[in-house]
Amino acid sequence: MTECIFCKIINGEFNTEFVYQNEYAVVFKDINPKADTHLLVVPRKHIESLNEVDDEVLLGKLMMTVKEAAKVAGLKSFRTVINTGKDAGQEVFHLHIHILAGSIRL
Ligand code: AMP
Ligand code: ZN
């Protein structure tokens, strides 16, 4: 049984609403938003951080997912952030890409 909070979300354990999803990733609202719109793009596969990624195709798919999710959310301008490692502020050790738009409080 996984202890990873994002794996649990992906498995539907919290009935989290997905703003967008595809074969590679799910996208949902950050629980503690740092911007008017704050979404997280999370690969279905558990990978701890960008440092552990060895699949460049998946990385490309994730960036395409960012673009698709932003479009679905009606965002034309947005910032993407990937925190890698504890000292950079990574709190959840399942790779994710932040999408921030509107007034950003980072
Ligand atoms: P990071 O600091 O890059 O690891 O970002 C982790 C993000 O996950 C933070 O912005 C948290 O607010 C968010 N987060 C943690 N738990 C949840 C949850 N259950 N649902 C949605 N977002 C979450
Ligand atoms: Zn996970």
Side-chain angles (χ1 to χ4, degrees), residues 4 18 20 23 28 30 35 42 52-53 64 80 99 102:
C4 171
F18 297 146
Y20 181 76
E23 186 183 343
F28 52 86
D30 194 293
V42 182
E52 280 72 38
V53 176
M64 292 303 287
T80 50
I99 300 177

Side-chain angles (χ1 to χ4, degrees), residues 5-6 9 28-32 34 38 40 83 89-92 96 98:
I5 187 87
F6 284 179
I9 287 174
F28 52 86
K29 291 181 181 165
D30 194 293
I31 203 169
N32 181 21
K34 311 275 192 323
H38 187 170
L40 300 173
N83 296 320
Q90 186 174 2
E91 292 172 359
V92 176
H96 52 282
H98 297 258

Side-chain angles (χ1 to χ4, degrees), residues 18-81:
F18 297 146
V19 175
Y20 181 76
Q21 60 179 309
N22 59 27
E23 186 183 343
Y24 305 97
V26 303
V27 183
F28 52 86
K29 291 181 181 165
D30 194 293
I31 203 169
N32 181 21
K34 311 275 192 323
D36 295 339
T37 302
H38 187 170
L39 305 176
L40 300 173
V41 175
V42 182
R44 292 183 184 276
K45 183 179 178 192
H46 180 91
I47 302 168
E48 279 206 6
S49 82
L50 191 60
N51 278 337
E52 280 72 38
V53 176
D54 59 6
D55 182 345
E56 61 197 48
V57 173
L58 177 61
L59 265 191
K61 296 290 185 188
L62 291 176
M63 292 312 290
M64 292 303 287
T65 304
V66 167
K67 187 183 82 167
E68 291 157 10
K71 186 171 183 189
V72 164
L75 307 175
K76 284 193 181 138
S77 298
F78 55 89
R79 183 182 298 177
T80 50
V81 173

